[in-house]
Amino acid sequence: MRRWLLLLTLLFTTNLLAVDATLKIEKDVEQRARIALVDGSEQHDEKFFGILLADLKISGHFLADSNVHQGSFSGAFIDPKLKGQDYVLKYKLLMGDGTKLFIQLLRASDGMMLYKKSYSIPSAAKMPFVAHKAISDINAYLKYPDISWINRYVVYTRYTGKQKSEIVLADYTFNYQKPIIRGGLNVFPKWADAQQRALYYTSYKGVLPTLYKINIYTGQKSTILSSEGMLVCSDVSKDYSKLLLTMAPNGQADIYELDLATGAKKRVTKFDGIDVNGKYVDDDKSIVFISNRLGYANVFRKAIDSAAVSPVVYHGRNNNACDTYDDKVVYSSRESSNSFGRNQFNLYLTSSHGGDTRPLTTTGTNQFPRFSPDGSVVLYIKHSGGGSAIGYINLDSSQSLLFPISINKIQSIDW
């Protein structure tokens, strides 16, 4: 097991240290709506204001005024200095045992109220989700392309000691974090449904690595299967009926497809080397995966029912992580020469069928790329200059945001 964990560590792990705040906006698109926030709360909450601001910016649909404006929540009064905005979002936040939020969207030119809503959640810790829901609702009211991905959980594994880890839920900014699975070595969480009610994960607690499915609300857990060597669920089919697994029952890691209804396993790759991290593409008829069949880690593609294998990436000597959405592929490529120790990794966007490749990052160590459910945004972990952050790149607007994190070591992440 130690051999496989070392392999998986090389392929998937990055060290995350204490960080300084960073926030970067790469590109402005002037078609965006200008909007200012007016805080009508009794006490201004800087963290909440920052989350609202980040939600507006990463949506790609708003040009948000970053200045703090405070004023009355009620009434149609608009400060004359805000008349140049398209919209003014007034809000009142009440924090105590829970979180309550009241919002009003006003037309800046004449103070006409366009939209209002209130939110209540019996948890102060979940305050970030209230902010995300309010901004996604306003975005929907204005009929902009959907940004409901900001309401989703991010799930990740962090090491807590020797042979110990815990699986944690977070909001996309990591301002909310809650461990949900503790005890032993529990790794590779993967969402099992669109509603994020259940997830798959691998436990190394017993004699054999075992894949479980757990309902995060009820705690109900079922065993999917166990296997010698290693066992990782790397992807779930669009209809949630099949899983792509990395297994090594015969000593070498290969990609298998598991039919959940019948329990039948199909070996998808057959290589006397390392094939891992299978991801569905092309309407689940093909997979993209990482293999060392050229002597170094690279991204390859094959149809599930065909033996032919072809490379997807033609540059770099260590392309060791990838994710897919339809025919889009995002991958991490090492761009420094050290075989061990700190290296620079950048993210690239390409197609499973070849064609143009677009760099998404240019500095630091960028790993764990994951597409949003609609494929419009890429999540990743960035380590640069002694700090670490969770990053997001809006592929349509080219805007990016970095949220600082101070987690010792992330093992894997899903969104």
Side-chain angles (χ1 to χ4, degrees):
M1 182 179 75
R2 295 181 62 184
R3 175 189 171 204
W4 289 118
L5 287 178
L6 175 60
L7 166 66
L8 297 174
T9 297
L10 290 173
L11 289 173
F12 297 109
T13 301
T14 187
N15 293 318
L16 306 177
L17 308 175
V19 297
D20 296 325
T22 52
L23 180 132
K24 181 182 179 185
I25 304 299
E26 290 187 343
K27 182 180 178 181
D28 284 341
V29 180
E30 295 308 326
Q31 293 87 350
R32 289 176 291 163
R34 296 180 180 274
I35 188 169
L37 300 171
V38 173
D39 186 358
S41 311
E42 290 186 4
Q43 290 187 328
H44 177 68
D45 188 307
E46 190 65 27
K47 177 187 286 187
F48 187 79
F49 175 81
I51 294 172
L52 288 175
L53 203 61
D55 289 349
L56 290 167
K57 288 177 176 176
I58 198 59
S59 75
H61 306 144
F62 296 95
L63 190 60
D65 180 354
S66 60
N67 296 307
V68 175
H69 303 284
Q70 292 178 277
S72 172
F73 175 74
S74 60
F77 174 75
I78 300 293
D79 189 318
K81 63 186 177 186
L82 300 181
K83 293 285 187 178
Q85 304 287 334
D86 295 309
Y87 304 105
V88 169
L89 175 60
K90 291 186 175 182
Y91 71 91
K92 183 168 67 175
L93 177 68
L94 302 175
M95 296 285 291
D97 294 335
T99 303
K100 291 183 179 179
L101 176 67
F102 302 86
I103 62 168
Q104 293 181 358
L105 182 67
L106 308 179
R107 191 164 61 196
S109 59
D110 58 5
M112 178 180 177
M113 187 171 68
L114 303 174
Y115 178 84
K116 69 175 182 178
K117 194 169 182 179
S118 63
Y119 304 84
S120 179
I121 188 170
S123 167
K126 284 194 168 183
M127 172 268 285
F129 288 101
V130 177
H132 304 330
K133 187 67 170 68
I135 298 303
S136 64
D137 284 348
I138 289 170
N139 183 83
Y141 168 77
L142 294 173
K143 301 187 184 307
Y144 291 134
D146 182 65
I147 59 165
S148 58
W149 59 265
I150 67 174
N151 300 312
R152 291 178 63 85
Y153 283 121
V154 173
V155 63
Y156 70 94
T157 296
R158 63 186 177 201
Y159 287 119
T160 57
K162 185 177 180 181
Q163 296 292 301
K164 292 182 179 178
S165 65
E166 56 189 16
I167 294 177
V168 183
L169 288 182
D171 78 310
Y172 89 97
T173 68
F174 274 43
N175 277 291
Y176 170 84
Q177 296 185 52
K178 179 183 179 182
I180 56 170
I181 300 176
R182 286 174 161 148
L185 188 58
N186 302 296
V187 291
F188 301 113
K190 185 71 184 172
W191 289 114
D193 55 25
Q195 296 75 33
Q196 297 190 308
R197 298 190 63 82
L199 57 84
Y200 299 103
Y201 71 98
T202 301
S203 172
Y204 283 85
K205 207 171 181 179
V207 176
L208 296 176
T210 302
L211 182 68
Y212 291 105
K213 181 180 180 181
I214 187 170
N215 185 308
I216 65 171
Y217 292 96
T218 66
Q220 182 179 6
K221 188 168 72 173
S222 57
T223 302
I224 304 301
L225 80 166
S226 297
S227 178
E228 295 277 357
M230 66 182 297
L231 178 55
V232 180
C233 175
S234 59
D235 206 0
V236 182
S237 64
K238 287 183 177 179
D239 61 2
Y240 304 100
S241 67
K242 297 178 181 177
L243 306 181
L244 285 181
L245 307 175
T246 300
M247 300 170 60
N250 302 311
Q252 295 293 346
D254 272 305
I255 311 296
Y256 292 74
E257 185 180 57
L258 173 68
D259 187 316
L260 290 167
T262 65
K265 294 192 294 292
K266 178 191 297 183
R267 188 175 176 181
V268 182
T269 66
K270 298 178 180 178
F271 171 57
D272 188 20
I274 299 171
D275 288 342
V276 297
N277 196 34
K279 301 285 183 178
Y280 284 109
V281 291
D282 306 334
D283 203 25
D284 296 351
K285 294 182 176 62
S286 301
I287 66 166
V288 163
F289 61 103
I290 304 296
S291 176
N292 69 342
R293 58 189 64 209
L294 293 179
Y296 58 89
N298 197 26
V299 185
F300 291 85
R301 174 181 179 274
K302 79 178 290 291
I304 288 180
D305 295 319
S306 170
V309 175
S310 59
V312 173
V313 178
Y314 293 91
H315 89 281
R317 303 291 293 180
N318 189 335
N319 305 309
N320 67 1
C322 69
D323 194 27
T324 61
Y325 179 81
D326 287 342
D327 65 346
K328 291 190 290 190
V329 178
V330 61
Y331 64 93
S332 177
S333 179
R334 193 182 81 192
E335 298 189 316
S336 49
S337 58
N338 294 332
S339 296
F340 300 96
R342 189 60 50 80
N343 277 288
Q344 177 169 318
F345 285 82
N346 278 312
L347 302 182
Y348 290 84
L349 180 69
T350 189
S351 165
S352 62
H353 298 282
D356 292 339
T357 297
R358 168 184 164 190
L360 299 179
T361 63
T362 56
T363 61
T365 300
N366 305 279
Q367 294 179 309
F368 299 113
R370 294 288 183 271
F371 280 107
S372 60
D374 63 358
S376 66
V377 178
V378 171
L379 168 160
Y380 62 104
I381 300 295
K382 186 180 192 72
H383 186 96
S384 179
S388 298
I390 184 166
Y392 294 86
I393 301 170
N394 187 317
L395 299 177
D396 294 327
S397 67
S398 295
Q399 290 188 96
S400 65
L401 284 178
L402 294 173
F403 298 96
I405 54 177
S406 56
I407 304 167
N408 288 331
K409 191 177 288 185
I410 285 182
Q411 183 270 340
S412 60
I413 192 167
D414 195 31
W415 188 15

